[in-house]
Amino acid sequence: MIFGLMLAVQFQSIQEPAVRDTRDMWQLREALKQEQETQSNLLLEIRKYEELIDTYENDENQSAEKTLKETLEELKNEAGLTEVTGAGVVITIEPLFDEAVSQSEVENIAPDLLKRLLNELNSYGAEHVAIADRRVVNTTVIRDINGQTKMDGYSLNSYPIEIKVISEDAEKLFSRLNGSTTMDTFAIDNLRLRISEPKDRIVIPPYDDAIRIKNMKPVEEGEKS
């Protein structure tokens, strides 16, 4: 009987935990409060990093938007839809001899002669050109209409005709124009070219008419090209 009683006591002692939580109610409440504060701090940290991620995403969107705007402005500039300022020269076309000397009426400048001058300017590095304060763009049309030379529908029938040219190298443009045979070509038609010294600041206005694009249309979503 004694042996059995001792064995039962030993078995009971094994089942009981070696360490018991002897904290009272106030200690338990304090521990719970600390755990709640820790959890609250973790939530604040999570919220802070989520806001930081949102900020980075917004910055990326703004960066993409900024890039698109810059690209749009660059394309507008290349298309001639914006005012440009830069170094260049001013070319003035005027009669070589007036009617009293030549005893003949000074005729309008021939469209082919003006086109030849524009082609020469482009070959000499002209970047932006305006004739009579009207911008020359890729779609500009110069032709004879009922005996009058017109550019995009506007008459060029009064002298002097001023041509503003902006170039990356205005000095080179000036030198090449003065060394070319263009002046002699114009002289045949009783016209004189006066080329100004290179200027640091020339303002060329934007193209103010609608640009009509033929044989081109936007591609609809899902449409095969």
Side-chain angles (χ1 to χ4, degrees), residues 11-18 20:
F11 181 77
Q12 182 68 26
S13 63
I14 293 174
Q15 294 297 318
E16 293 179 355
R20 291 182 180 180

Side-chain angles (χ1 to χ4, degrees), residues 177-189:
L177 280 172
N178 280 285
S180 71
T181 60
T182 305
M183 294 184 181
D184 297 334
T185 305
F186 273 76
I188 295 173
D189 283 8

Side-chain angles (χ1 to χ4, degrees), residues 3-224:
F3 177 76
L5 182 59
M6 291 177 62
L7 185 60
V9 171
Q10 185 177 5
F11 181 77
Q12 182 68 26
S13 63
I14 293 174
Q15 294 297 318
E16 293 179 355
V19 178
R20 291 182 180 180
D21 192 346
T22 58
R23 293 177 296 177
D24 59 20
M25 183 179 297
W26 294 107
Q27 291 175 326
L28 291 174
R29 286 180 177 178
E30 185 66 24
L32 178 61
K33 182 179 179 182
Q34 292 178 356
E35 292 296 329
Q36 289 175 340
E37 289 178 353
T38 301
Q39 184 180 12
S40 178
N41 291 332
L42 288 174
L43 291 175
L44 289 174
E45 287 291 321
I46 292 172
R47 189 174 303 157
K48 181 180 73 174
Y49 287 114
E50 286 177 345
E51 290 175 353
L52 189 60
I53 291 173
D54 290 339
T55 301
Y56 287 149
E57 291 178 348
N58 289 334
D59 288 343
E60 290 179 359
N61 293 334
Q62 291 175 2
S63 178
E65 182 180 357
K66 181 180 178 182
T67 302
L68 288 175
K69 287 182 177 179
E70 290 176 351
T71 303
L72 179 60
E73 287 302 315
E74 183 178 346
L75 292 174
K76 284 184 177 180
N77 185 57
E78 291 180 0
L81 301 179
T82 58
E83 181 181 276
V84 290
T85 303
V89 299
V90 177
I91 302 171
T92 303
I93 303 174
E94 58 189 7
L96 183 60
F97 302 106
D98 58 23
E99 296 179 5
V101 176
S102 63
Q103 296 182 350
S104 62
E105 184 180 355
V106 179
E107 298 182 356
N108 294 331
I109 184 171
D112 291 340
L113 191 60
L114 195 54
K115 291 177 185 177
R116 178 174 177 175
L117 176 59
L118 287 175
N119 290 335
E120 195 164 2
L121 289 173
N122 290 329
S123 67
Y124 293 162
E127 296 181 334
H128 308 284
V129 179
I131 300 176
D133 279 330
R134 295 201 171 273
R135 186 70 169 269
V136 177
V137 295
N138 291 334
T139 58
T140 291
V141 176
I142 300 173
R143 58 185 176 180
D144 183 288
I145 301 177
N146 297 327
Q148 290 189 0
T149 299
K150 294 189 176 184
M151 185 184 79
D152 292 334
Y154 296 95
S155 298
L156 298 173
N157 56 359
S158 60
Y159 295 103
I161 299 173
E162 191 175 77
I163 301 177
K164 297 178 180 178
V165 187
I166 289 179
S167 174
E168 185 176 350
D169 192 339
E171 293 285 348
K172 181 179 179 181
L173 175 65
F174 175 77
S175 298
R176 296 195 67 176
L177 280 172
N178 280 285
S180 71
T181 60
T182 305
M183 294 184 181
D184 297 334
T185 305
F186 273 76
I188 295 173
D189 283 8
N190 190 28
L191 294 174
R192 174 173 57 190
L193 290 184
R194 288 193 296 107
I195 306 169
S196 73
E197 293 287 333
K199 299 177 180 294
D200 293 332
R201 188 177 187 274
I202 290 179
V203 179
I204 292 183
Y207 185 77
D208 56 1
D209 288 340
I211 295 180
R212 296 175 178 84
I213 302 175
K214 297 181 179 179
N215 304 322
M216 202 161 73
K217 65 176 183 177
V219 177
E220 301 293 338
E221 185 175 355
E223 182 180 347
K224 293 183 180 180

